[in-house]
Amino acid sequence: MLNVDPIGLPGASLETLNEVRSRFQGVDLQGGHLLMVTDTQGHREGARYGAVVVPPASAQGLGVDRAVVISPSFGPRFGVAGQEALAGLADWAAGAGLVLRETVLPAGDFVRVLEEPDTREVNRLVAASNPVDAGIYRLQRRSD
């Protein structure tokens, strides 16, 4: 169920987004899930995100029959590039037909789970996640 080596590098937002797009290029992910994983609840403006792609059963045999962990590289905590990459990841997921979900982990668990995940933890992430709309991750433009 699990690809042990996370995709990307922590904090390398745009590079990690490009690596995700390349990894899944040409793969039908329709009906799978993208779990956005954060350590911040209620304060999206300073949040960091990692993610887990849970492919649909139909992807088995195409090299993505396991959950794939994506390094914590996204979100406002990583500056403008982090915000752009977060919005890009959400848009990529929507375009790939992935159902977008989110879960919050305590800071200590956040790093451990995204660096050294195991199948049971990924299953718990799926169970604890809630559906979200991709629009919440898009850049908020300030009008000053």
Side-chain angles (χ1 to χ4, degrees):
M1 165 78 181
L2 190 61
N3 177 349
V4 179
D5 295 323
I7 292 177
L9 294 169
S13 304
L14 297 174
E15 294 85 350
T16 298
L17 176 60
N18 288 334
E19 194 171 335
V20 169
R21 289 175 175 156
S22 293
R23 170 71 172 87
F24 294 104
Q25 186 173 1
V27 177
D28 181 8
L29 295 172
Q30 185 76 32
H33 294 88
L34 177 69
L35 306 178
M36 300 293 234
V37 183
T38 185
D39 64 346
T40 305
Q41 187 167 4
H43 300 285
R44 292 189 189 280
E45 64 277 356
R48 66 179 168 167
Y49 290 86
V52 178
V53 174
V54 181
S58 62
Q60 291 186 2
L62 300 176
V64 290
D65 52 341
R66 302 173 187 188
V68 177
V69 175
I70 303 168
S71 292
S73 306
F74 306 98
R77 187 154 325 155
F78 300 110
V80 173
Q83 290 177 321
E84 289 175 0
L86 181 63
L89 182 64
D91 289 341
W92 168 80
L98 292 164
V99 176
L100 195 58
R101 300 181 66 86
E102 181 178 279
T103 193
V104 180
L105 293 175
D109 290 342
F110 176 84
V111 172
R112 182 185 50 76
V113 168
L114 291 176
E115 287 182 359
E116 298 177 15
D118 68 32
T119 300
R120 284 174 53 207
E121 287 177 320
V122 170
N123 289 339
R124 276 189 238 129
L125 286 177
V126 173
S129 66
N130 294 298
V132 292
D133 185 285
I136 67 172
Y137 302 110
R138 294 201 179 94
L139 298 175
Q140 298 296 317
R141 305 278 186 226
R142 291 176 37 150
S143 58
D144 33 47

